[in-house]
Amino acid sequence: MKYTFGVPDMSCNHCKMRIEKTMNDSGKVKSLNVDLQSKKVSLESDLTENDLIKLFDDAGYDASAEK
């Protein structure tokens, strides 16, 4: 399933790299695009929206799904 999340606290390249590492290390994300300028993360995964939000929490960021 494809998701887009808003990550308002993502403000620098370190933030971007941390989110990418957490998502990629999960082994559950098929594709990932982290856009620092728009503060949005688009991804494809079989995980649920809540599971993905937990991964953002693990990375240290609040995220909300965009509908």
Side-chain angles (χ1 to χ4, degrees):
M1 194 161 215
K2 293 183 180 184
Y3 297 93
T4 300
F5 292 91
V7 188
D9 294 335
M10 182 173 56
S11 61
C12 66
N13 202 44
H14 178 264
C15 299
K16 178 182 176 185
M17 290 187 309
R18 186 169 179 155
I19 290 169
E20 288 172 339
K21 179 171 178 15
T22 301
M23 293 298 173
N24 288 328
D25 286 354
S26 76
K28 303 289 185 179
V29 176
K30 297 175 185 174
S31 67
L32 178 66
N33 180 39
V34 181
D35 186 337
L36 186 57
Q37 187 172 5
S38 69
K39 299 186 182 211
K40 294 190 188 304
V41 176
S42 300
L43 57 88
E44 186 174 351
S45 176
D46 291 331
L47 292 175
T48 67
E49 184 178 304
N50 287 338
D51 289 336
L52 291 166
I53 288 174
K54 170 91 171 73
L55 286 176
F56 281 106
D57 286 343
D58 291 348
Y61 298 93
D62 289 327
S64 58
E66 308 239 326
K67 304 291 182 192

